[in-house]
Amino acid sequence: MGKPLFFEILEKPATSCIIAICSAIWFYIQKKNIGYSQVGLSYETAADGHFWRIITSAFSHISILHLVFNMSALWSLGVVEQSGHLGLGVAYYLQYTLVLVLLSGLLVLGMYHVLIQRFKIEYFRRVTAVGYSCVVFGWMTILSVKQPSSKLDLFGVLSLPISFAPFESLIFTSIIVPQASFLGHLSGIIVGYSIAWGLIHGMNNYWAISMLCWTGVVFISSLKRSGAWDLSFLEIEPVTDPSLPSVRIIGSGTGRTLQMSTIPLGGVELV
């Protein structure tokens, strides 16, 4: 008999929070009738400056089956949080989850760019990726290297050897779900191997917080620039008052002259 769910949630706090966030976003999307094209990531929208979609696409799911499949796999992969003895643990999980979200999204865009510009496959210009699968596949890959004896449980009935799970799941989802993003899943696997093999390393709390802050800046900036959300309250008002005198320095040979413009009387009241 397994542990009560409450205790498992306490042992997997980061995984539980991410599942709760993705589920809440799914409910919001359903309630507001938001389509995948409004939150998903595509080459065309990225070219228009919608970089915020790298984040929204990862945490958004349109169908309930997509959400359940990803969250079921993610729950099983929460063992990473309990593997501090392998150099993993909660901090490692959170730090590299951020890396997986950002790098897998950028890698997908890079793949689209090569396919469009080099091979002239225009189909990938408007393909829209959405879902947490890239991160799930990344953690499958990392765990397959760090702890190859582990099992990946799906829906509580299907158990896969973690050492083969990334590619088994890649083939399985491509066959069962034709609209599944093969490149999105593949990007997660590539970034996962890069982390597991130490090609991407050195993350700590300082770098993770710095990366998170810069991600927030880019997220808000791109939201504003793309006009996807009204952020007019972030407007910075100019500090120059045209009614005040302006000062400039004029160079003349070896000497310089300080010149001050006159104050327009119509704009100032003298008391």
Side-chain angles (χ1 to χ4, degrees), residues 219-260:
F219 182 87
I220 295 174
S221 176
S222 62
L223 263 180
K224 181 172 175 56
R225 287 179 179 275
S226 64
W229 196 11
D230 182 18
L231 298 174
S232 56
F233 62 91
L234 291 178
E235 291 286 353
I236 300 175
E237 296 294 334
V239 296
T240 304
D241 188 344
S243 66
L244 297 178
S246 61
V247 178
R248 59 176 177 167
I249 298 175
I250 303 175
S252 177
T254 57
R256 291 185 177 180
T257 304
L258 183 65
Q259 186 179 69
M260 178 179 291

